[in-house]
Amino acid sequence: MREKKIESLSELTYEERKKLRERLKEEGKLIPITLYSQEEVRDGISEREGAIGFGESFREEDWHREGGKPIPEEEQKAILEALLKAKEYEPIRLDKVKDVFWIVPGIVLERGTTCCAGESEAGKTTFWLQLSKALLDGGDFFGIPIKEPMERILWFEIDEDLSMLKDQVEKVSSDLLQRLLVFSDLRWDKTNRVITGLDEIVYWNRPQLIIIDAIGSIGLQDEDDNTEISALYKYLRVLMTRYNFSTALLHHLSKAEVAQSGKTIPLKQRVRGAGDIVNRADCVLGMQRSGYKAHLSTIKARTEAKVELNLLQDPHTLVFRKEMARDEYIASLITQGLSKKDIITSTQQMYGGKQDTVRKAVERVAKDLGISL
């Protein structure tokens, strides 16, 4: 009968008490005397309405009438049910709602969703691994102190093989191999519109942040369907509110940077899929890669005026040092007059990487030097 924890009746406002007793009266149920003010008790209003003697909170002795006669169990249940029913229709008091809190200003919002969109190999995974390390270690990120280091970050890798993720994690920090909690299976239930198993995973691991790489790989029926995307965000919102964590969704850009007319397409319009991918997120970051540099900017951020790191006004350029050294090495080989094939082979031997990735790097560096290979 008393499995649910009930607040003390004395904590209710007068209006709440009045509404509750009116409901009880309409339903012909007993009314606890604590739903009346002292003046109403003194004036006899409570007595005329058949109020029962009740303590200030629900204790064992509260379930007795004056004189020690127990209140029948059915009447006790009726009182509890009426109180719970009244609570369902209470308005939300904004003065009790927590203020907006940025865990990492401009990037990670408490109980919020950040969508980070970029082209393939733009550096999204590396960026979020670096951020995960900073959040777990404390210290700072982009020169901003991490005020509350995290204990658990869940990474859902659906976009690529785990061996590739391991390689990227090791490049960031070897100790991150043990500290980052990785899962490789995450599927969207098209019928029930939930992510299968995510509720249980979050319940048992209690993370402060989950990172999903990437939205397009969880099995959405139609990435261009606003209704489905909205359902995904709503589902995540329910879980974030229930378990108090934040979410990062890695995503892709689809459209070319420049239209056939020669006009530059705004980054917001280049985010792949339905418009609600941007509209429903609390913060949307865009990453564009050019060689060893990646430009990070904010497409959208709620309450951006309060953010210390305002990427809307001050985009950042991230430098990938290994790629920078690789491009410098390629430039030296080009100036030596080596063939394109030899440059690609030598660069792969020195820095590794996929042949196609190295080829594109060689072509780009040659173009920047104004040299034809």
Side-chain angles (χ1 to χ4, degrees), residues 22 35 42 44 95 113 138 144 172 208 214 222 225 267 277 306 326 330 362:
E22 286 173 354
L35 291 179
R42 187 172 56 245
D95 60 330
T113 303
I144 297 174
V172 172
Q208 289 82 47
D222 186 358
D225 182 4
L267 199 56
I277 290 177
K306 299 180 181 179
R326 180 201 64 193
I330 291 172
V362 171

Side-chain angles (χ1 to χ4, degrees), residues 61-73 75-76:
E61 58 269 26
D62 293 334
W63 299 107
H64 294 74
R65 298 184 194 277
E66 291 181 3
K69 185 179 179 180
I71 298 175
E73 184 174 327
E75 293 180 13
Q76 294 181 30

Side-chain angles (χ1 to χ4, degrees), residues 200-259:
E200 289 294 310
I201 292 172
V202 170
Y203 174 80
W204 288 108
N205 290 279
R206 298 303 169 106
Q208 289 82 47
L209 173 67
I210 71 169
I211 301 168
I212 298 176
D213 187 7
I215 300 176
S217 301
I218 65 173
L220 292 168
Q221 188 169 4
D222 186 358
E223 194 180 90
D224 294 315
D225 182 4
N226 275 322
T227 303
E228 189 165 24
I229 295 299
S230 178
L232 170 63
Y233 275 95
K234 285 179 181 177
Y235 171 71
L236 290 172
R237 180 76 64 192
V238 169
L239 288 189
M240 289 188 291
T241 302
R242 182 184 301 162
Y243 297 117
N244 194 30
F245 66 93
S246 304
T247 300
L249 301 173
L250 307 195
H251 193 41
H252 299 283
L253 299 176
S254 61
K255 304 175 183 69
E257 186 176 353
V258 180

